Amino acid sequence: MLLPSRFARTAIALTSLAALAACGDKAPGTAAPAAPSPAVSAAASPEQVPEVIEAPASPVAPPTVAKTQRRVQIYSGPATGPLSPPPDQGRGSTIVQLNGTGSADIGTYVADGQGRTLYRFDKDSAKPPKSTCNGDCAKTWPPLLIHSPGQIYPSGMNPQLVGYVERADGTCQVTVGGWPVYRFAGDKARGDIEGQGVGGTWFAINPTGGRTKPLPEVVAVPTAAAR
């Protein structure tokens, strides 16, 4: 029996690495970023601060890994310290925070770590997860990307409902309840929901992946002249 040549073995190895590198994965052996820990400030000297005796605080359990999807770890809650992901190089951040956020107008929705509203697109699918917003659509509705290996910290939502799906360009898009999630270019500040109901197909996503309720209709009050 003929043994495979050195060139054939090299080709097989490269093919295997390419398969593992899909959706932003790095080569095997690359460790996921360490979970952030709370910052510790230097203690002041006794001369500067008078002694204060406080009741011991109840210990807060650190988040644990609730789910793993390939090289992305999804935690059981928010991080215990500040998140400082490296700059997004176009393929997403290695650390993503998701927050369940209350709104008097539309109910509870999901926002990212910067408070930007996350939306779902009715023309996508959740079973199986699939994104159909590409090209110019993705410029108006930028997908929320996670770079693998990475970490997702959901707060106020079930971590088992969080994951990601590979997009047509090979990037990894965060999903909630199977639905790919997006930001809206028209939202300029924390809490903006300017994308709510656009085209009858875009809605802020709730923590289980469903639509949030439409914005309340504005009823015009007749003027004195009209009465």
Side-chain angles (χ1 to χ4, degrees), residues 1-10 12:
M1 181 177 63
L2 294 178
L3 295 175
S5 67
R6 179 170 55 185
F7 298 104
R9 290 196 300 270
T10 302
I12 292 171

Side-chain angles (χ1 to χ4, degrees), residues 101-110 117-120 122 193-198 200-217:
T101 306
S103 166
D105 291 329
I106 65 173
T108 303
Y109 66 94
V110 181
T117 303
L118 298 175
Y119 298 86
R120 50 167 275 176
D122 283 354
I193 49 174
E194 298 298 322
Q196 184 71 347
V198 169
T201 56
W202 291 92
F203 292 88
I205 194 165
N206 70 28
T208 61
R211 285 180 172 191
T212 49
K213 61 185 180 182
L215 286 167
E217 294 184 6

Side-chain angles (χ1 to χ4, degrees), residues 84-172:
S84 301
D88 185 343
Q89 300 298 325
R91 300 190 68 83
S93 174
T94 57
I95 299 176
V96 168
Q97 176 77 47
L98 301 175
N99 298 314
T101 306
S103 166
D105 291 329
I106 65 173
T108 303
Y109 66 94
V110 181
D112 68 7
Q114 286 71 48
R116 293 172 292 190
T117 303
L118 298 175
Y119 298 86
R120 50 167 275 176
F121 184 33
D122 283 354
K123 294 183 180 180
D124 288 346
S125 67
K127 296 180 180 179
K130 182 178 180 182
S131 171
T132 60
C133 178
N134 300 289
D136 290 340
C137 175
K139 295 178 182 177
T140 303
W141 301 93
L144 178 63
L145 303 178
I146 176 74
H147 193 285
S148 176
Q151 300 167 345
I152 303 177
Y153 291 88
S155 177
M157 53 198 303
N158 184 350
Q160 298 297 335
L161 297 178
V162 177
Y164 71 83
V165 64
E166 186 170 351
R167 292 174 52 80
D169 61 2
T171 56
C172 308

Side-chain angles (χ1 to χ4, degrees), residues 20-102:
L20 287 171
C23 201
D25 278 356
K26 294 183 180 179
T30 303
S37 57
V40 178
S41 58
S45 66
E47 293 77 17
Q48 294 173 311
V49 180
E51 182 180 0
V52 177
I53 301 176
E54 297 180 351
S58 300
V60 178
T64 57
V65 177
K67 176 182 173 182
T68 300
Q69 184 176 350
R70 294 188 70 177
R71 297 174 185 274
V72 174
Q73 295 176 321
I74 299 159
Y75 283 76
S76 60
T80 54
L83 300 177
S84 301
D88 185 343
Q89 300 298 325
R91 300 190 68 83
S93 174
T94 57
I95 299 176
V96 168
Q97 176 77 47
L98 301 175
N99 298 314
T101 306

